[in-house]
Amino acid sequence: MNLESLRRTRAKRLGAKSKSSSYTGQRRILFILDRATRKFHGDTALWLQYLTYARKQKSNKRVSRIISDMLRLHPVSPELWIYAANYTMDERADVTEARAYMQRGLRFCRHSKHLWDAYLRLEMIYISKLSVQRPMLGLDSASSKKDEVPINKQIAEEMVALPLTTSEEGNQDRATAGFADQVSPLDSIESTPAIAGAIPIAVFDAAMKEFPGDATFGARLFDSATAFHGLPCTGNIMHHIVETLMTATPTDAASLCCFVTEPIQEITVGSFEFPGALMKMLDRLEISNCKLDSLQKPIEQTRARGIVARHSINRIIAYFEAPGLDPDIRAVLNAMLQTSWRYCLSSIESEAEGASGETVALLQMLTARGFKDLVRPGVASALQRWPEEPRLLALEGTCSGG
């Protein structure tokens, strides 16, 4: 392949135009890769290399055949099913076939969390594409009304008036049309299951049936859904996921993380809804602490509170850098940060011996954002737990030097 690339570069530099030699080199490379995959059919990296080269040469028929042979020989490899679905969605824009690949893959790999997550993302991508295409096609009623241009009086006089129907003809048309006058197909698009998020919700429910009680996996799917901001269905999907997790595992830290941060996921700092969403998040923090009181072991309570607190801090800290932040909102954010940080400090002593990574990452982020007053006691507590951690010793020097 490198030799063929060099040959093409040289031919382009010399201005040589020979379609036969170009096709011969391409055909030779494809023949070699085909023979290689037949002999070493268990090497998935070789299959992917074969696919990459065929896609680069825009040999679509060969790509389809390669994908079919590859999946037939490796039906229990989730990455290959995801590759096939993404290729079909990206290159061919065929969501039906992409879904078929995902569903066939889940028959062989039902216990692959990565495949379930990719399936949910695929459906969210499809909804985002529908949302982008609707205004372009004039299906958005708000945008179509906004784009209406008033007709000039002179143009109106030059327009040809169409003949009006009689009352009998109108009554006959209404009788045959039924309720077509009352309901417009464009007005009902918002309530269609595809736009309302029914398919991602069904994927989530099926995934949780395969992994009952796994709140960490549910939170992973929650993060995958919230990555698609601004979609009309994201709020419904988030609410359904949180309700399901809080019903199945109400005292799990992963469920409570989703429960606490749900109100502010789809709201920006400058919107008028942000103060109310922030107060709702504060109320849910208190509710989560009350739910954790039901845990029997104190060490489990401390660790769960620390996880929820770290997750809340990661969400809160980004709002301090918003331009033009209201002083009252800043005060509320600061109080929430102080409260969450106290829970983090109390949970450091209960952390496992080799679990210093998340604590160090949080301390480094707070140091970079300028919250050294919070970092100093945190570094002191962390050094008592992990006295030989080099990153903590570096943070101690940074805080003492500042």
Side-chain angles (χ1 to χ4, degrees):
M1 286 186 284
N2 293 333
L3 180 61
E4 176 65 15
S5 178
L6 290 173
R7 188 200 63 78
R8 289 190 176 185
T9 304
R10 185 178 181 184
K12 184 178 180 180
R13 178 169 55 85
L14 297 176
K17 296 182 179 180
S18 177
K19 295 183 178 180
S20 60
S21 60
S22 177
Y23 178 72
T24 302
Q26 172 186 342
R27 185 176 59 179
R28 184 183 297 113
I29 293 172
L30 291 173
F31 174 75
I32 294 172
L33 288 172
D34 184 64
R35 291 290 300 274
T37 51
R38 290 176 184 274
K39 186 173 183 179
F40 305 101
H41 51 79
D43 191 349
T44 56
L46 184 60
W47 281 102
L48 293 176
Q49 185 180 7
Y50 188 14
L51 272 172
T52 303
Y53 182 77
R55 290 180 63 178
K56 187 178 179 180
Q57 301 303 318
K58 297 182 180 180
S59 181
N60 296 326
K61 291 184 179 180
R62 186 180 288 267
V63 169
S64 300
R65 183 173 61 81
I66 295 170
I67 289 176
S68 178
D69 295 341
M70 177 182 67
L71 294 177
R72 179 171 52 84
L73 294 171
H74 301 276
V76 293
S77 179
E79 291 77 13
L80 300 183
W81 290 105
I82 295 171
Y83 183 95
N86 290 337
Y87 164 77
T88 306
M89 188 71 174
D90 297 338
E91 300 293 334
R92 300 171 58 182
D94 190 349
V95 67
T96 303
E97 188 174 353
R99 281 183 187 142
Y101 277 126
M102 285 293 186
Q103 292 169 2
R104 286 169 57 196
L106 287 171
R107 293 175 189 170
F108 294 98
C109 314
R110 300 188 68 87
H111 300 290
S112 173
K113 296 180 179 180
H114 184 43
L115 189 57
W116 283 106
D117 189 16
Y119 190 15
L120 181 68
R121 287 179 177 272
L122 177 73
E123 295 296 344
M124 296 300 294
I125 291 172
Y126 175 60
I127 294 175
S128 65
K129 288 185 177 182
L130 286 180
S131 300
V132 171
Q133 291 173 357
R134 285 178 57 209
M136 297 180 182
L137 298 175
L139 299 180
D140 194 348
S141 57
S143 64
S144 61
K145 291 180 181 179
K146 186 186 297 183
D147 295 338
E148 286 182 354
V149 180
I151 301 176
N152 193 357
K153 183 177 181 181
Q154 183 179 359
I155 299 176
E157 292 177 355
E158 296 176 355
M159 293 176 64
V160 179
L162 296 176
L164 299 175
T165 58
T166 62
S167 59
E168 295 180 357
E169 293 174 345
N171 294 332
Q172 184 177 1
D173 292 339
R174 290 189 183 91
T176 55
F179 56 89
D181 295 338
Q182 302 176 2
V183 180
S184 173
L186 300 182
D187 295 337
S188 61
I189 289 180
E190 290 287 347
S191 60
T192 56
I195 300 297
I199 301 178
I201 289 175
V203 173
F204 171 78
D205 291 339
M208 295 310 295
K209 287 181 181 179
E210 292 295 325
F211 305 95
D214 193 344
T216 304
F217 178 55
R220 176 180 172 181
L221 297 178
F222 178 84
D223 294 336
S224 298
T226 54
F228 297 86
H229 298 285
L231 296 182
C233 65
T234 305
N236 296 333
I237 296 172
M238 287 193 306
H239 183 68
H240 177 80
I241 293 175
V242 170
E243 276 193 343
T244 303
L245 292 178
M246 293 302 293
T247 302
T249 53
T251 58
D252 194 284
S255 300
L256 293 174
C257 287
C258 300
F259 173 71
V260 169
T261 57
E262 181 200 357
I264 60 172
Q265 288 288 349
E266 288 291 301
I267 299 177
T268 57
V269 183
S271 65
F272 69 94
E273 299 174 342
F274 183 73
L278 196 62
M279 295 306 298
K280 192 173 182 180
M281 179 182 175
L282 185 59
D283 294 338
R284 291 193 176 191
L285 270 173
E286 296 178 359
I287 293 173
S288 65
N289 289 325
C290 294
K291 288 183 176 294
L292 291 175
D293 290 337
S294 61
L295 294 177
Q296 310 221 344
K297 296 182 180 179
I299 189 171
E300 292 181 356
Q301 295 181 11
T302 306
R303 286 181 178 176
R305 285 196 175 96
I307 293 173
V308 176
R310 281 195 296 269
H311 189 76
S312 302
I313 290 173
N314 288 326
R315 293 291 306 174
I316 294 169
I317 204 71
Y319 297 128
F320 281 94
E321 297 181 355
L325 186 63
D326 187 84
D328 295 334
I329 295 179
R330 184 178 293 274
V332 174
L333 288 172
N334 195 19
M336 294 174 66
L337 182 62
Q338 298 284 345
T339 303
S340 299
W341 184 242
R342 284 197 297 270
Y343 286 119
C344 283
L345 291 179
S346 61
S347 67
I348 289 177
E349 297 180 358
S350 63
E351 293 291 340
E353 186 66 29
S356 62
E358 294 184 359
T359 302
V360 173
L362 182 60
L363 290 170
Q364 289 175 342
M365 182 190 67
L366 290 173
T367 304
R369 301 291 177 92
F371 293 93
K372 292 186 178 180
D373 294 338
L374 299 177
V375 175
R376 289 190 186 97
V379 170
S381 300
L383 282 174
Q384 293 179 0
R385 185 69 183 88
W386 305 289
E388 298 180 358
E389 175 61 48
R391 293 173 294 177
L392 291 174
L393 295 174
L395 284 172
E396 184 183 28
T398 303
C399 295
S400 61

